[in-house]
Amino acid sequence: MERELQEMEDGKIGVPSQDPELLGSIEEPEEQQRLETLDEPVSTTILRDLNRIWIKMKHVLVPTSSDQKLRDWDLWGPLFLCLILSISMSWTAKEDQAALEFAIVFVLVWCGAGVVTLNAVLLGGTISFLQSICVLGYCLAPLNIASITCRFFSNKFINVIIVGFAFAWSTKASVGFMAELLPAERKMLGVYPVFLFYLTIGWMVLMQ
């Protein structure tokens, strides 16, 4: 016993050394996945985001499909659609008025969506502010298509039909989602501003 104590004091018997390669080698799966995402190429990130935007747009363009994807909100898609709508509506404006018309459409879309969302939240809807902005923004897709399509027709009657169809399409897609998240006795109060929101944008598309 005295010999073992003496050897420990002399450093002959010590605590087993740890392999430095094993230190810090254990990582949480989520943290590791986050690091992989940060290290991926920018092109891969952009393609993944564009794919998500396209999937959500398909849920808007086909309102009868599941709306589960729309619950995972993002603002890239609404921003992209808003920019396209603003550009298409200011394309034929006079040179000194193009910037003003672009700004009016851009501000109207975001402020209008904000007012509609605030109304739904105050009525007790179980929807987050950004989630509602996301849905209203993605539902601009049919009106974007109408705004571009009307460029190829000079007949007002045809344009009225195109815009009217796009307005009904956008309203149906958004109302179907918003109505599920509002109290049953307040659905009409929450849906009516949505109707006015797309009606105003539809009228602006028709009058461009």
Side-chain angles (χ1 to χ4, degrees), residues 12-175:
K12 295 180 180 180
I13 300 178
V15 180
S17 62
Q18 296 181 347
D19 189 350
E21 295 183 357
L22 297 178
L23 295 176
S25 61
I26 300 176
E27 295 181 354
E28 294 294 332
E30 294 183 358
E31 184 177 351
Q32 185 174 3
Q33 184 177 4
R34 190 181 304 113
L35 291 175
E36 292 175 357
T37 303
L38 291 174
D39 294 337
E40 70 181 8
V42 177
S43 59
T44 303
T45 303
I46 293 175
L47 289 175
R48 184 178 65 251
D49 291 340
L50 289 176
N51 183 57
R52 290 177 179 175
I53 292 173
W54 170 242
I55 291 175
K56 292 177 183 177
M57 283 186 63
K58 287 196 299 183
H59 281 71
V60 171
L61 297 175
V62 186
T64 55
S65 62
S66 172
D67 58 6
Q68 186 62 37
K69 290 292 183 181
L70 291 177
R71 297 179 184 274
D72 182 18
W73 62 268
D74 73 85
L75 298 180
W76 287 114
L79 177 61
F80 179 69
L81 292 172
C82 182
L83 287 174
I84 292 179
L85 183 64
S86 300
I87 293 172
S88 65
M89 292 182 64
S90 62
W91 190 263
T92 56
K94 295 181 180 180
E95 186 176 354
D96 58 339
Q97 296 180 354
L100 177 61
E101 188 167 343
F102 176 92
I104 289 175
V105 175
F106 190 87
V107 172
L108 179 64
V109 168
W110 286 101
C111 290
V115 171
V116 172
T117 300
L118 183 61
N119 177 71
V121 172
L122 293 177
L123 289 175
T126 57
I127 183 172
S128 68
F129 189 86
L130 294 178
Q131 187 181 35
S132 177
I133 294 290
C134 171
V135 173
L136 294 172
Y138 271 106
C139 290
L140 287 172
L143 287 170
N144 271 273
I145 297 174
S147 179
I148 297 173
T149 305
C150 288
R151 299 291 179 188
F152 303 99
F153 299 97
S154 58
N155 191 313
K156 280 293 183 183
F157 180 73
I158 296 178
N159 289 342
V160 168
I161 295 176
I162 294 174
V163 174
F165 181 74
F167 160 72
W169 199 345
S170 294
T171 304
K172 177 177 173 56
S174 58
V175 166

Side-chain angles (χ1 to χ4, degrees), residues 122-125 179-191:
L122 293 177
L123 289 175
E180 295 180 357
L181 304 175
L182 291 169
E185 67 278 5
R186 298 180 178 177
K187 283 187 178 181
M188 288 303 298
L189 294 175
V191 168

